[in-house]
Amino acid sequence: PIAQPSNTPSTANLDRDLQTLLSLVNEARAGERVCGTETFKAATALTLNTKLSTAAQKHSEDMELAGKLDHVT
């Protein structure tokens, strides 16, 4: 059976959560990082692409309606 969410987030909460996530990602990208022996310079900040976000959301909804909660066809 397909798992069902216990509650659906409101649009306001989702927008707030997306902005919080984006802020945290950009905060991490702002500083130099070391992975093993390799050093990476700070990266530029990301911005939210609403057209891409809308397309991804619609794709997720289509997958749910089709009962396909995976990426294997």
Side-chain angles (χ1 to χ4, degrees):
I2 297 173
Q4 297 296 319
S6 59
N7 59 6
T8 302
S10 71
T11 302
N13 287 344
L14 187 58
D15 289 344
R16 184 193 68 224
D17 292 346
L18 283 172
Q19 288 302 324
T20 299
L21 177 61
L22 187 58
S23 293
L24 292 169
V25 167
N26 283 333
E27 184 179 315
R29 290 172 59 88
E32 187 175 87
R33 299 285 177 189
V34 177
C35 182
T37 60
E38 194 168 353
T39 300
F40 296 90
K41 294 180 181 179
T44 58
L46 300 175
T47 58
L48 188 63
N49 180 320
T50 54
K51 190 173 183 178
L52 180 60
S53 295
T54 299
Q57 182 62 41
K58 287 183 179 187
H59 177 66
S60 294
E61 291 168 3
D62 287 343
M63 288 176 63
E64 178 185 16
L65 288 173
K68 300 246 182 211
L69 294 177
D70 59 44
H71 290 279
V72 179
T73 57

